[in-house]
Amino acid sequence: MAHFEITPRQARERQRQGALLVDIRQAHERASGQAEGALGIPKDELEAEHARHLQAPDAAVMLICQSGQRSAATVQVLRAAGYTDVHSVAGGTTAWIADALPLVRPQLDADEADFLERYSRHLRLDEVGVEGQRRLERSRVLLVGAGGLGSPAAFYLAAAGVGHLRLVDDDVVDRSNLQRQILHVEAAIGQAKVESARERLAALNPRVVVEGIRERATSANVEALLEGMDVVVDGSDNFPVRYLLNDACVKLGKPLVYGAVQRFEGQASVFDAGRHRGRCPCYRCLFPEPPPPQFAPSCADAGVLGVLPGIVGLLQANEAIKLLLGIGQGLAGRLLQFDALAMRFREVRLAPDPQCPVCAPGRPFPGYIDYARFCTTGG
């Protein structure tokens, strides 16, 4: 044990003698319990404003965190600032609890307690934290399709705490869906998918508002569906809807999280040309025209490995969460391809098409088209 460290029992005795015990964990960490009598001051705040929180430089101060590492680091900062009697509690709150020393829990209302407990693992991430989690709770995501891709994406977006999920699907649950569409169960056969999805997601996380819209996305309603949404997740299974969502997202400046599966292969990307014209491609830059039907059969015709949509849908949820939080490197400008049989990922760089009829810089929006006809005839 380092010379500036003391045991929890020594800290408790020094506390009885008047030494100040400071818990430098974040508020959400202290919610699960903190040493009795400890003053809660987050590490960054204490280091930046130590003169405001601490008395004379020779005052007896003890710092405690979860395991002792953060408090040891802050001791060094305070000693360098001139504090001579500052110590770290070795083993932190974990050791304090193991020694059966008195513990208290801060008084929280039911909603705050639920928030801190439910998202505790997110809150420990510097890239998320309380501010990021609150941002997720304020976020709104449109998910088109409550099937193979939409099921895992919806589950993890709801679990992550995205505040408002708008699900769009006009289909009902069929027994053949259950092999891969994990939002739905046997008892939901014949039920509208958006209703089945809403029940399962509400059971997972009642904090999330799940808005089910039993409609097919069309040129007539697509802008209403996108209204107020921060991110659009494409869980559709057909080319007309993919082109429609792409065009609407370019026009309205929404990021589109794309995914597709067939047999044993899947792919995912982010198309963000609406916000970054000339720098990010759109779906039409990748597929200027749809492939002939014989080269792109549906899953009903070609089949699909049941776990494959789960893998791709999770990738889509991951990209959506990163977009909402503004963290990490997204898939914009990259197409991630996955081969389930070979267990291999491959990445293809995508460049924006300067002649793209929809997203080329300075090009006015050409208007919505007959997407079904376009995908049948290519024109």
Side-chain angles (χ1 to χ4, degrees):
M1 192 163 63
H3 69 279
F4 57 81
E5 291 183 307
I6 57 176
T7 69
R9 292 194 180 279
Q10 289 173 326
R12 182 63 173 169
E13 182 58 33
R14 285 171 61 91
Q15 188 183 31
R16 291 193 185 100
Q17 297 171 6
L20 177 65
L21 179 61
V22 180
D23 190 327
I24 65 168
R25 296 176 299 165
Q26 296 293 322
H28 62 85
E29 296 178 272
R30 301 195 302 271
S32 61
Q34 68 182 49
E36 183 182 63
L39 178 65
I41 306 174
K43 178 179 185 294
D44 292 345
E45 182 180 335
L46 180 62
E47 292 180 358
E49 302 180 87
H50 46 76
R52 182 166 71 89
H53 294 293
L54 303 180
Q55 299 174 3
D58 61 350
V61 178
M62 303 170 295
L63 307 183
I64 187 170
C65 61
Q66 188 64 39
S67 65
Q69 294 183 358
R70 282 176 287 175
S71 57
T74 301
V75 163
Q76 300 299 331
V77 173
L78 294 180
R79 291 200 169 203
Y83 292 87
T84 58
D85 191 7
V86 59
H87 292 81
S88 170
V89 179
T93 304
T94 300
W96 184 280
I97 295 172
D99 282 354
L101 296 173
L103 201 72
V104 297
R105 294 179 183 272
Q107 294 298 312
L108 302 170
D109 62 41
D111 181 75
E112 187 70 9
D114 178 83
F115 174 87
L116 294 176
E117 183 176 7
R118 183 180 299 274
Y119 304 123
S120 62
R121 301 306 187 269
H122 265 183
L123 302 181
R124 285 180 168 83
L125 298 172
D126 291 339
E127 294 83 355
V128 183
V130 173
E131 181 179 346
Q133 192 62 50
R134 293 296 187 194
R135 184 174 180 177
L136 287 177
E137 285 208 319
R138 295 190 299 268
S139 297
R140 300 166 63 88
V141 172
L142 171 65
L143 177 53
V144 179
L149 295 172
S151 287
F155 262 132
Y156 272 91
L157 291 172
V162 171
H164 190 115
L165 286 177
R166 178 177 291 170
L167 304 182
V168 178
D169 197 307
D170 68 340
D171 202 3
V172 298
V173 179
D174 181 84
R175 183 168 281 109
S176 66
N177 301 149
L178 305 183
Q179 164 250 15
R180 65 202 177 281
Q181 300 183 18
I182 58 173
L183 265 174
H184 314 297
V185 296
E186 182 82 11
I189 290 175
Q191 185 179 12
K193 286 185 177 179
V194 291
E195 293 302 321
S196 170
R198 182 159 52 188
E199 291 175 7
R200 298 290 299 283
L201 297 174
L204 173 67
N205 189 351
R207 299 180 69 92
V208 175
V209 175
V210 181
E211 177 188 2
I213 299 179
R214 190 179 176 183
E215 297 178 12
R216 179 179 292 272
T218 66
S219 298
N221 68 6
V222 67
E223 293 195 9
L225 295 177
L226 268 68
E227 185 177 0
M229 298 293 106
D230 299 303
V231 171
V232 178
V233 177
D234 180 6
S236 66
D237 61 357
N238 63 86
F239 285 100
V241 173
R242 290 171 186 158
Y243 281 101
L244 169 65
L245 291 179
N246 174 79
D247 294 359
C249 285
V250 171
K251 178 183 179 183
L252 301 178
K254 310 282 187 181
L256 175 63
V257 182
Y258 160 75
V261 295
Q262 185 185 97
R263 291 177 57 77
F264 301 99
E265 297 181 350
Q267 54 187 224
S269 188
V270 171
F271 298 113
D272 207 359
R275 299 189 302 173
H276 306 287
R277 284 181 181 256
R279 289 183 288 144
C280 292
C282 76
Y283 182 73
R284 286 180 180 268
C285 297
L286 176 62
F287 296 114
E289 294 184 354
Q294 63 270 26
F295 294 115
S298 67
C299 290
D301 293 329
V304 63
L305 184 67
V307 300
L308 180 63
I311 295 168
V312 175
L314 293 181
L315 293 173
Q316 290 181 276
N318 185 60
E319 290 303 299
I321 291 169
K322 285 159 54 183
L323 284 165
L324 295 171
L325 291 173
I327 62 174
Q329 180 181 4
L331 281 176
R334 299 184 291 156
L335 179 68
L336 188 64
Q337 299 176 315
F338 174 63
D339 183 335
L341 287 182
M343 197 57 200
R344 180 179 296 118
F345 285 93
R346 187 166 71 95
E347 181 180 301
V348 178
R349 292 284 177 176
L350 302 177
D353 179 0
Q355 302 302 318
C356 178
V358 172
C359 78
R363 180 159 297 181
F365 183 67
Y368 300 111
I369 61 174
D370 184 337
Y371 293 93
R373 181 175 179 274
F374 172 72
C375 293
T376 301
T377 65

